[in-house]
């Protein structure tokens, strides 16, 4: 996954980490977009599941920075931003494809998972999520306003450089 790889023409997806230190681009449609509930993915995501989709290596390039890698098993390594910690990749180095975390896409709503895997570790209470009370969108607190006004998150599109505006 060298940063100098060329991405073939076609449908294009870009993404990256929260701070913008690592960015990537892939062409084509992701293969097997799915939600994995295995314990390794839960821990790698710091969440209850991890949405993943694969792209052929020839259609994938890192366009900014270099991820850090953690070898989560003898077969798999997981790429993440060494600055902000965002999980980005599930990679089997010998494979022809690389899996990206679908939440790291600039347009995550553009890729709908088609399957769930390792559901034996799925949270037993997920079926009740839609019964939880919903906080109204129009209510905002001073704290939420302050967070939004001081947002240091990289925007959901490529930039010529980052950080911009003197952010550190």
């Amino acid at each position: 996954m060298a940063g100098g790889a060329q991405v073939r023409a076609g449908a294009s997806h870009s993404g990256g980490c929260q701070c913008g230190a690592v960015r990537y681009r892939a062409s084509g449609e992701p293969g097997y977009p799915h939600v994995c509930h295995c314990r390794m993915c839960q821990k790698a995501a710091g969440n209850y599941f991890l949405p993943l989709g694969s792209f052929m290596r020839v259609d994938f390039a890192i366009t900014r920075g270099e991820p850090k890698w953690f070898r989560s098993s003898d077969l798999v390594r997981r790429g993440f931003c060494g600055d902000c910690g965002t999980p980005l990749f599930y990679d089997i180095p010998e494979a022809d494809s690389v899996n990206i975390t679908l939440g790291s896409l600039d347009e995550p709503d553009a890729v709908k998972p088609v399957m769930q895997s390792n559901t034996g570790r799925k949270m037993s209470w997920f079926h009740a999520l839609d019964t939880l009370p919903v906080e109204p969108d129009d209510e905002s607190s001073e704290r939420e306003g302050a967070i939004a006004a001081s947002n240091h998150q990289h925007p959901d599109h490529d930039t010529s450089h980052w950080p911009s505006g003197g952010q550190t």
Side-chain angles (χ1 to χ4, degrees):
M1 283 192 304
Q6 293 293 317
V7 177
R8 294 187 293 187
S12 183
H13 298 274
S14 62
C17 65
Q18 186 173 21
C19 75
V22 180
R23 298 280 302 158
Y24 63 84
R25 180 169 296 281
S27 65
E29 293 305 318
Y32 189 52
H34 69 286
V35 174
C36 183
H37 297 276
C38 82
R39 189 64 185 133
M40 273 193 185
C41 281
Q42 290 171 349
K43 291 194 80 139
N47 215 315
Y48 300 119
F49 56 84
L50 183 60
L52 296 163
S54 67
F55 289 93
M56 298 303 294
R57 285 188 196 279
V58 297
D59 296 330
F60 175 84
I62 294 174
T63 58
R64 179 184 300 143
E66 286 296 326
K68 299 281 186 187
W69 295 96
F70 172 69
R71 183 69 75 167
S72 60
S73 72
D74 289 346
L75 183 65
V76 174
R77 66 182 188 158
R78 296 176 185 262
F80 60 96
C81 175
D83 292 336
C84 69
T86 301
L88 297 167
F89 311 115
Y90 171 101
D91 185 42
I92 301 172
E94 297 77 29
D96 292 335
S97 61
V98 60
N99 285 274
I100 57 141
T101 58
L102 298 178
S104 70
L105 287 168
D106 290 340
E107 296 181 34
D109 197 38
V111 180
K112 180 182 174 186
V114 298
M115 186 74 65
Q116 295 183 70
S117 63
N118 300 298
T119 57
R121 295 304 293 258
K122 184 176 180 177
M123 298 297 114
S124 61
W125 43 263
F126 271 8
H127 68 281
L129 286 176
D130 284 338
T131 66
L132 294 176
V134 176
E135 186 175 297
D137 287 338
D138 59 354
E139 289 186 17
S140 66
S141 68
E142 281 185 42
R143 181 187 59 156
E144 289 168 344
I147 290 169
S150 64
N151 182 358
H152 298 285
Q153 182 167 295
H154 188 274
D156 285 333
H157 57 81
D158 288 329
T159 56
S160 60
H161 66 283
W162 188 261
S164 64
Q167 295 173 351
T168 58

